Amino acid sequence: MEVVLHDKNGSAVARVTVTGDAERIEFPAVERDVVISGYTLDGAKHAVDEPMTVLAGQFPCLKLWR
């Protein structure tokens, strides 16, 4: 499945494809400082509970609760 992180403007920041049973998703390093406010999981948009600040060079991580 494809997972995409979005900033507060809705722009894609990082994208990765993972298996359907993944619970923890690690993304490649971001190129700029960004605030993650949502993600898309197989085309369905979701908001994060609390916006996440990620600095340039850091590797964002997303944990899925099922």
Side-chain angles (χ1 to χ4, degrees):
M1 71 184 148
E2 183 179 59
V3 185
V4 182
L5 293 179
H6 300 279
D7 65 13
K8 61 184 177 180
N9 298 320
S11 300
V13 175
R15 179 183 316 259
V16 69
T17 301
V18 296
T19 62
D21 60 349
E23 291 183 11
R24 180 180 170 94
I25 301 169
E26 296 187 17
F27 292 84
V30 295
E31 297 179 0
R32 60 183 170 88
D33 295 353
V34 65
V35 176
I36 304 297
S37 61
Y39 64 97
T40 302
L41 179 63
D42 273 348
K45 291 188 176 187
H46 304 275
V48 293
D49 292 335
E50 291 185 31
M52 172 176 48
T53 300
V54 181
L55 303 177
Q58 290 183 328
F59 298 83
C61 181
L62 181 67
K63 182 167 182 151
L64 298 177
W65 299 95
R66 298 176 196 241

Coordinates of all heavy atoms in Angstrom, one line a residue:
M1 N 0.8 -1.2 0.0 CA 0.0 0.0 0.0 C 0.9 1.2 0.0 O 2.0 1.2 0.5 CB -0.9 0.0 1.2 CG -0.3 0.2 2.5 SD -1.5 0.0 3.8 CE -0.5 -0.6 5.1
E2 N 0.4 2.3 -0.6 CA 1.1 3.5 -0.6 C 0.7 4.5 0.5 O -0.5 4.6 0.8 CB 0.9 4.2 -2.0 CG 1.7 5.5 -2.1 CD 1.5 6.2 -3.4 OE1 0.4 6.6 -3.7 OE2 2.5 6.4 -4.1
V3 N 1.7 5.1 1.2 CA 1.5 6.0 2.2 C 2.2 7.3 1.9 O 3.4 7.3 1.6 CB 2.0 5.4 3.6 CG1 1.6 6.4 4.7 CG2 1.4 4.1 3.9
V4 N 1.5 8.4 2.0 CA 2.1 9.7 1.7 C 1.8 10.7 2.9 O 0.7 10.8 3.4 CB 1.4 10.3 0.4 CG1 2.0 11.7 0.1 CG2 1.4 9.4 -0.7
L5 N 2.9 11.3 3.3 CA 2.8 12.3 4.4 C 2.5 13.7 3.7 O 3.1 14.0 2.7 CB 4.1 12.4 5.2 CG 4.4 11.2 6.0 CD1 5.7 11.5 6.8 CD2 3.3 10.9 7.0
H6 N 1.7 14.5 4.3 CA 1.3 15.8 3.8 C 1.6 16.9 4.8 O 1.5 16.7 6.0 CB -0.2 15.9 3.5 CG -0.6 14.9 2.5 ND1 -0.4 15.1 1.1 CD2 -1.2 13.7 2.6 CE1 -0.9 14.0 0.5 NE2 -1.3 13.2 1.3
D7 N 2.1 18.1 4.3 CA 2.3 19.2 5.2 C 1.0 20.0 5.4 O -0.1 19.5 4.9 CB 3.4 20.2 4.7 CG 3.0 20.8 3.3 OD1 1.8 20.8 2.9 OD2 3.9 21.4 2.7
K8 N 1.0 21.1 6.2 CA -0.2 21.8 6.5 C -0.9 22.4 5.3 O -2.1 22.7 5.4 CB 0.1 22.9 7.6 CG 1.0 23.9 7.1 CD 1.4 24.9 8.2 CE 2.4 25.9 7.8 NZ 2.7 26.8 8.8
N9 N -0.2 22.5 4.2 CA -0.8 23.0 2.9 C -1.4 21.9 2.1 O -1.9 22.2 1.0 CB 0.2 23.8 2.2 CG 0.7 25.1 2.9 OD1 -0.1 25.7 3.6 ND2 2.0 25.3 2.9
G10 N -1.2 20.7 2.5 CA -1.7 19.5 1.7 C -0.7 19.0 0.7 O -1.0 18.1 -0.1
S11 N 0.5 19.6 0.6 CA 1.5 19.1 -0.3 C 2.2 17.8 0.2 O 2.4 17.7 1.4 CB 2.6 20.2 -0.5 OG 2.1 21.4 -0.9
A12 N 2.5 16.9 -0.7 CA 3.2 15.7 -0.4 C 4.6 16.0 0.0 O 5.3 16.7 -0.6 CB 3.1 14.7 -1.6
V13 N 5.0 15.4 1.2 CA 6.3 15.6 1.7 C 7.2 14.4 1.6 O 8.4 14.5 1.2 CB 6.2 16.0 3.2 CG1 7.6 16.1 3.8 CG2 5.4 17.3 3.4
A14 N 6.6 13.2 1.8 CA 7.3 12.0 1.7 C 6.3 10.9 1.3 O 5.2 10.9 1.6 CB 8.0 11.6 3.0
R15 N 6.9 9.9 0.5 CA 6.0 8.8 0.0 C 6.8 7.5 0.1 O 8.0 7.5 -0.1 CB 5.7 9.2 -1.5 CG 4.9 8.2 -2.2 CD 4.8 8.7 -3.7 NE 4.5 10.1 -3.8 CZ 3.3 10.6 -4.1 NH1 2.2 9.8 -4.2 NH2 3.1 11.9 -4.2
V16 N 6.0 6.5 0.5 CA 6.7 5.1 0.6 C 5.6 4.1 0.3 O 4.4 4.3 0.6 CB 7.3 5.0 2.0 CG1 6.3 4.9 3.1 CG2 8.3 3.8 2.0
T17 N 6.0 2.9 -0.2 CA 5.1 1.8 -0.4 C 5.5 0.7 0.6 O 6.7 0.4 0.7 CB 5.2 1.3 -1.8 OG1 4.9 2.3 -2.7 CG2 4.3 0.1 -2.1
V18 N 4.5 0.2 1.3 CA 4.8 -0.8 2.4 C 3.8 -2.0 2.2 O 2.8 -1.9 1.5 CB 4.6 -0.2 3.8 CG1 5.6 0.9 4.0 CG2 3.2 0.3 4.0
T19 N 4.0 -3.1 2.9 CA 3.1 -4.2 2.9 C 1.9 -3.9 3.7 O 1.9 -3.0 4.5 CB 3.8 -5.5 3.5 OG1 4.1 -5.2 4.9 CG2 5.0 -5.9 2.7
G20 N 0.8 -4.6 3.4 CA -0.5 -4.3 4.0 C -0.5 -4.5 5.5 O -1.4 -4.0 6.2
D21 N 0.4 -5.3 6.1 CA 0.4 -5.5 7.6 C 1.3 -4.6 8.3 O 1.6 -4.9 9.5 CB 0.7 -7.0 7.8 CG 2.0 -7.4 7.3 OD1 2.7 -6.7 6.6 OD2 2.4 -8.6 7.7
A22 N 1.9 -3.6 7.7 CA 2.9 -2.8 8.4 C 2.2 -2.0 9.5 O 1.1 -1.5 9.3 CB 3.5 -1.8 7.4
E23 N 2.8 -1.9 10.6 CA 2.3 -1.1 11.8 C 3.1 0.2 12.0 O 2.6 1.2 12.4 CB 2.3 -1.9 13.0 CG 1.3 -3.0 13.0 CD 1.2 -3.8 14.3 OE1 1.8 -3.3 15.3 OE2 0.6 -4.8 14.3
R24 N 4.4 0.1 11.7 CA 5.3 1.2 11.8 C 5.9 1.5 10.4 O 6.5 0.6 9.8 CB 6.4 0.9 12.8 CG 7.4 2.0 13.0 CD 8.4 1.6 14.1 NE 9.5 2.5 14.1 CZ 9.6 3.6 15.0 NH1 8.6 3.7 15.9 NH2 10.6 4.4 15.0
I25 N 5.8 2.7 10.0 CA 6.2 3.1 8.6 C 7.3 4.1 8.7 O 7.1 5.2 9.3 CB 5.0 3.6 7.8 CG1 3.9 2.5 7.7 CG2 5.5 4.0 6.4 CD1 2.7 3.0 7.1
E26 N 8.5 3.8 8.2 CA 9.6 4.8 8.2 C 9.7 5.3 6.8 O 9.7 4.6 5.8 CB 10.8 4.1 8.7 CG 10.7 3.6 10.1 CD 12.0 3.1 10.7 OE1 13.0 3.4 10.2 OE2 11.8 2.4 11.8
F27 N 9.9 6.7 6.8 CA 10.0 7.4 5.5 C 11.4 7.8 5.3 O 12.2 7.9 6.2 CB 9.1 8.6 5.5 CG 7.6 8.3 5.6 CD1 7.0 8.0 6.7 CD2 6.9 8.3 4.4 CE1 5.6 7.7 6.8 CE2 5.6 7.9 4.4 CZ 4.9 7.7 5.6
P28 N 11.8 8.2 4.0 CA 13.1 8.7 3.8 C 13.2 10.1 4.4 O 12.2 10.7 4.8 CB 13.2 8.8 2.2 CG 11.8 8.7 1.8 CD 11.0 8.0 2.8
A29 N 14.5 10.6 4.5 CA 14.7 11.9 5.1 C 14.0 13.0 4.3 O 14.0 12.9 3.1 CB 16.2 12.2 5.2
V30 N 13.5 14.0 5.0 CA 12.8 15.1 4.4 C 13.9 16.1 4.0 O 14.9 16.2 4.6 CB 11.7 15.8 5.2 CG1 10.6 14.8 5.4 CG2 12.3 16.2 6.5
E31 N 13.6 16.9 2.9 CA 14.6 17.8 2.4 C 14.5 19.2 3.0 O 15.4 20.0 2.9 CB 14.5 18.0 0.9 CG 14.7 16.7 0.1 CD 14.5 16.8 -1.3 OE1 14.2 17.9 -1.8 OE2 14.7 15.8 -2.0
R32 N 13.4 19.5 3.7 CA 13.2 20.8 4.3 C 12.5 20.6 5.6 O 11.8 19.6 5.9 CB 12.5 21.7 3.4 CG 11.1 21.2 3.0 CD 10.4 22.1 2.0 NE 9.2 21.5 1.5 CZ 7.9 21.6 2.1 NH1 7.8 22.3 3.2 NH2 6.9 21.0 1.5
D33 N 12.6 21.7 6.5 CA 11.8 21.6 7.7 C 10.3 21.7 7.3 O 9.9 22.4 6.5 CB 12.1 22.9 8.6 CG 13.5 22.9 9.1 OD1 14.2 21.9 8.9 OD2 13.9 23.9 9.7
V34 N 9.5 20.8 8.0 CA 8.1 20.7 7.6 C 7.2 20.3 8.8 O 7.7 19.7 9.8 CB 7.9 19.7 6.5 CG1 8.3 18.3 6.9 CG2 6.6 19.7 5.9
V35 N 6.0 20.7 8.8 CA 5.0 20.3 9.8 C 4.1 19.3 9.2 O 3.4 19.7 8.2 CB 4.3 21.4 10.5 CG1 3.2 20.9 11.4 CG2 5.2 22.4 11.2
I36 N 4.1 18.0 9.6 CA 3.2 17.0 9.0 C 1.8 17.1 9.7 O 1.7 17.1 10.9 CB 3.8 15.6 9.3 CG1 5.2 15.5 8.7 CG2 2.8 14.5 8.7 CD1 5.3 15.6 7.3
S37 N 0.8 17.3 8.9 CA -0.5 17.5 9.5 C -1.5 16.3 9.0 O -2.6 16.3 9.5 CB -1.1 18.8 9.1 OG -1.2 18.9 7.7
G38 N -1.1 15.5 8.1 CA -1.9 14.4 7.6 C -1.2 13.5 6.8 O 0.0 13.6 6.5
Y39 N -1.9 12.4 6.4 CA -1.3 11.4 5.5 C -2.4 10.8 4.7 O -3.6 10.8 5.0 CB -0.6 10.3 6.4 CG -1.5 9.5 7.3 CD1 -1.9 8.2 6.9 CD2 -1.8 10.0 8.5 CE1 -2.8 7.5 7.7 CE2 -2.6 9.2 9.4 CZ -3.1 8.0 9.0 OH -3.9 7.2 9.8
T40 N -2.0 10.2 3.6 CA -2.9 9.4 2.7 C -2.5 8.0 2.7 O -1.3 7.7 2.6 CB -2.8 10.0 1.3 OG1 -3.1 11.4 1.3 CG2 -3.8 9.3 0.4
L41 N -3.4 7.1 3.0 CA -3.2 5.7 3.0 C -4.1 5.0 2.0 O -5.3 5.0 2.1 CB -3.6 5.1 4.4 CG -3.4 3.7 4.7 CD1 -1.9 3.3 4.5 CD2 -3.9 3.3 6.1
D42 N -3.4 4.6 0.9 CA -4.1 4.0 -0.2 C -5.2 4.9 -0.8 O -6.4 4.4 -1.0 CB -4.7 2.6 0.1 CG -3.6 1.5 -0.1 OD1 -2.6 1.8 -0.7 OD2 -3.9 0.4 0.3
G43 N -5.0 6.1 -0.9 CA -5.9 7.1 -1.4 C -6.9 7.7 -0.5 O -7.5 8.7 -0.8
A44 N -7.0 7.2 0.8 CA -7.9 7.8 1.8 C -7.1 8.8 2.7 O -6.1 8.4 3.2 CB -8.5 6.7 2.6
K45 N -7.5 10.0 2.7 CA -6.8 11.0 3.5 C -7.2 10.9 5.0 O -8.4 10.7 5.4 CB -7.1 12.4 3.0 CG -6.5 12.7 1.7 CD -6.7 14.2 1.3 CE -6.0 14.4 0.0 NZ -6.0 15.8 -0.4
H46 N -6.2 11.1 5.9 CA -6.4 11.1 7.3 C -5.6 12.3 7.9 O -4.6 12.7 7.4 CB -5.8 9.8 7.9 CG -6.4 8.6 7.3 ND1 -7.6 8.0 7.7 CD2 -6.0 7.8 6.3 CE1 -7.9 6.9 7.0 NE2 -6.9 6.8 6.1
A47 N -6.1 12.8 9.1 CA -5.4 13.8 9.8 C -4.6 13.1 10.9 O -5.0 12.0 11.4 CB -6.3 14.8 10.4
V48 N -3.5 13.7 11.3 CA -2.7 13.1 12.5 C -3.3 13.7 13.7 O -3.9 14.8 13.7 CB -1.2 13.4 12.4 CG1 -0.6 12.7 11.2 CG2 -0.9 14.9 12.3
D49 N -3.2 13.0 14.9 CA -3.8 13.5 16.1 C -3.1 14.9 16.5 O -3.8 15.8 16.9 CB -3.5 12.5 17.3 CG -4.4 11.3 17.0 OD1 -5.4 11.3 16.4 OD2 -4.0 10.2 17.6
E50 N -1.8 15.0 16.4 CA -1.1 16.2 16.7 C -0.1 16.4 15.6 O 0.6 15.5 15.2 CB -0.4 16.1 18.0 CG -1.3 16.1 19.2 CD -0.5 16.1 20.5 OE1 0.6 16.7 20.5 OE2 -1.0 15.5 21.5
P51 N -0.1 17.7 15.0 CA 0.9 18.0 14.0 C 2.3 17.6 14.4 O 2.7 17.8 15.6 CB 0.7 19.5 13.7 CG -0.7 19.7 14.1 CD -0.9 18.8 15.3
M52 N 3.1 17.1 13.5 CA 4.5 16.6 13.8 C 5.5 17.5 13.1 O 5.4 17.6 11.9 CB 4.6 15.2 13.4 CG 5.9 14.6 13.5 SD 6.0 12.8 13.1 CE 5.1 12.7 11.6
T53 N 6.4 18.1 13.8 CA 7.5 18.9 13.2 C 8.6 18.0 12.9 O 9.1 17.3 13.7 CB 7.9 20.0 14.1 OG1 6.8 20.9 14.4 CG2 9.0 20.9 13.5
V54 N 9.1 18.0 11.6 CA 10.2 17.2 11.2 C 11.2 18.2 10.5 O 10.9 19.0 9.7 CB 9.8 16.2 10.1 CG1 10.9 15.3 9.7 CG2 8.6 15.3 10.7
L55 N 12.4 18.1 11.0 CA 13.5 19.0 10.5 C 14.2 18.4 9.3 O 14.2 17.1 9.2 CB 14.5 19.3 11.6 CG 13.9 19.9 12.9 CD1 15.0 20.1 13.9 CD2 13.2 21.3 12.6
A56 N 14.8 19.2 8.4 CA 15.5 18.7 7.3 C 16.5 17.7 7.7 O 17.2 17.9 8.6 CB 16.1 19.9 6.5
G57 N 16.5 16.6 7.0 CA 17.5 15.5 7.2 C 16.9 14.4 8.2 O 17.5 13.4 8.3
Q58 N 15.8 14.7 8.9 CA 15.3 13.7 9.8 C 14.4 12.7 9.0 O 13.9 13.1 7.9 CB 14.4 14.4 10.9 CG 15.2 15.1 11.9 CD 14.4 15.7 13.0 OE1 13.2 16.1 12.8 NE2 14.9 15.8 14.2
F59 N 14.2 11.6 9.6 CA 13.4 10.5 9.0 C 12.1 10.4 9.7 O 12.0 9.9 10.8 CB 14.2 9.2 9.1 CG 15.5 9.2 8.3 CD1 16.6 9.7 8.9 CD2 15.5 8.6 7.0 CE1 17.8 9.7 8.3 CE2 16.7 8.6 6.4 CZ 17.9 9.1 7.0
P60 N 11.0 10.9 9.1 CA 9.7 10.8 9.8 C 9.2 9.3 9.9 O 9.6 8.5 9.1 CB 8.7 11.6 9.0 CG 9.4 11.8 7.7 CD 10.9 11.6 7.9
C61 N 8.4 9.1 10.9 CA 7.9 7.7 11.2 C 6.4 7.9 11.5 O 6.0 8.8 12.2 CB 8.7 7.1 12.3 SG 8.1 5.4 12.7
L62 N 5.6 6.9 11.1 CA 4.2 6.9 11.3 C 3.8 5.6 11.9 O 4.2 4.5 11.3 CB 3.5 7.2 10.0 CG 1.9 7.3 10.0 CD1 1.5 8.5 10.8 CD2 1.4 7.4 8.6
K63 N 3.1 5.5 13.0 CA 2.6 4.3 13.5 C 1.1 4.2 13.3 O 0.4 5.1 13.6 CB 2.9 4.2 15.0 CG 2.4 2.9 15.6 CD 2.9 2.7 17.0 CE 2.5 1.4 17.5 NZ 3.3 0.7 18.4
L64 N 0.7 3.1 12.7 CA -0.7 2.9 12.3 C -1.4 2.1 13.4 O -0.9 1.0 13.8 CB -0.9 2.2 11.0 CG -0.3 2.9 9.8 CD1 -0.4 2.0 8.6 CD2 -1.0 4.2 9.6
W65 N -2.5 2.6 13.9 CA -3.3 1.8 14.9 C -4.4 1.1 14.2 O -5.2 1.7 13.5 CB -3.8 2.8 16.0 CG -2.7 3.5 16.7 CD1 -2.2 4.7 16.4 CD2 -2.0 3.1 17.8 NE1 -1.2 5.1 17.2 CE2 -1.0 4.0 18.1 CE3 -2.0 1.9 18.6 CZ2 -0.2 3.9 19.2 CZ3 -1.1 1.8 19.6 CH2 -0.2 2.8 19.9
R66 N -4.5 -0.2 14.4 CA -5.6 -0.9 13.7 C -6.4 -1.6 14.8 O -6.1 -2.0 15.8 CB -4.9 -2.0 12.8 CG -4.1 -1.3 11.7 CD -3.5 -2.3 10.9 NE -2.4 -1.7 10.1 CZ -2.4 -1.6 8.8 NH1 -3.3 -2.2 8.1 NH2 -1.4 -1.1 8.2

